[in-house]
Amino acid sequence: MDKKLRLGEFLQMRRAQLRPADVGLPDFGERRRVPGLRRDELAQLAGVSLSYYTRLEQGVSLNASPEVLDALARALGLDEVEQAHLHDLAHATRRGGKRRRLAPEHAGDTTRQLLAAFGDAPALVLGRRSDVLAWNRTGHALFAGHLDAHIPDQPDRRPNMARLVFLDAHTRELFVDWPKKARAVVGKLRLAVGQYPDDPMLATLIGELAMKSTEFAGLWSENRVRSWDIAAYRMRHPLVGQMQLNLQSLVLPQEPGQRAVVATAEAGSASQAALHLLAQAGAPATRQGRRGSETAGSARDRRSETTGSARDRHSETAGSAQDRTSAV
């Protein structure tokens, strides 16, 4: 989509999601021709003229000031993430046809050192388009054990988390809370569009997903943005069974646009025991000679012997963890 229209699309969609009562306006029971607030109502709430607001929605006015954007954000009831996204869209509109050249993405040495420091905790590094740039051994085993472990090192073949979530059967089965995960992925892609409007590969990815997945197309049309630091998910791994995991997102300041995602479980829980077994099952054979190369079947058998009591403890706390805020 043209950068001039993205700002207007976002404003129009968020305006349509509000009712007069949501913003303190009287509702006289009149039949409204459009869903949500009318343009004149939002313009009045934001303290701008109707003609100026109309030009913003139509992509004609390209110089909305930060103060006007903040007023619109307040009128629409946007949270901090949505307000920042609004400013990103307006900045891209002001730049017009000027394109920002983006450097190819890769995981640097310090990033790989960080992955190694996580030890057996599953971890991976995602780029601005949610491409998997690197993962540690257990991260590969948890998120994509059905793929080649070295594939993130091949830029033309790297897995993409959004593609995996919407188009890969293994990943869909992995996330018991798939709808929750799907909304989070779409929300982050929306943020990326505002932050990197000149990335042609991002536009190609979104077009591909919209063509191949009606679920993605439906969520994308909602124009919701989302950011997260921690999210709780129920996951069902084919090797070690069901787990309740916290996925924590860490921004990597040394690599703009990149973030590390680390999976953890409650101490002493069945989920922690399952992660431990997953780490053991994926250990290189050289760790303890041939003994390290255990089959998936033997790992599953050992899990049943070691996680019984931990599963009982976990069942008391999994419910509350499930209600935590989401958004991968």
Side-chain angles (χ1 to χ4, degrees), residues 306-323:
T306 58
T307 62
S309 59
R311 186 182 298 108
D312 293 338
R313 293 193 301 272
H314 174 65
S315 62
E316 299 175 0
T317 56
S320 58
Q322 182 180 338
D323 295 334

Side-chain angles (χ1 to χ4, degrees), residues 265-270 272 313:
E266 182 181 354
S269 67
Q272 186 184 55
R313 293 193 301 272

Side-chain angles (χ1 to χ4, degrees), residues 132 147-148 150-160 163:
V132 179
L147 300 180
D148 179 0
H150 302 290
I151 200 172
D153 297 326
Q154 305 171 47
D156 58 336
R157 297 184 59 208
R158 280 176 183 151
N160 176 275
R163 280 196 188 97

Side-chain angles (χ1 to χ4, degrees), residues 158-268:
R158 280 176 183 151
N160 176 275
M161 187 55 68
R163 280 196 188 97
L164 290 176
V165 167
F166 282 96
L167 305 180
D168 181 72
H170 172 91
T171 306
R172 183 180 283 260
E173 289 295 321
L174 178 66
F175 284 93
V176 179
D177 301 317
W178 186 87
K180 176 179 171 181
K181 177 65 172 175
R183 287 186 178 277
V185 166
V186 173
K188 284 195 293 296
L189 282 181
R190 273 289 181 187
L191 279 179
V193 166
Q195 294 166 347
Y196 305 100
D198 299 320
D199 188 339
M201 295 180 68
L202 178 58
T204 299
L205 170 66
I206 292 168
E208 175 194 349
L209 292 172
M211 288 292 292
K212 294 182 178 180
S213 171
T214 56
E215 292 160 313
F216 176 88
L219 290 172
W220 186 257
S221 68
E222 295 178 5
N223 219 315
R224 294 283 184 179
V225 296
R226 190 169 296 186
S227 182
W228 60 281
D229 297 318
I230 182 170
Y233 288 102
R234 291 176 297 155
M235 301 175 73
R236 185 187 299 110
H237 195 275
L239 180 62
V240 296
Q242 187 157 311
M243 297 174 285
Q244 181 80 28
L245 299 181
N246 295 315
L247 302 187
Q248 302 186 53
S249 180
L250 310 173
V251 175
L252 303 179
Q254 71 274 20
E255 300 286 356
Q258 295 184 20
R259 65 187 187 276
V261 178
V262 186
T264 60
E266 182 181 354

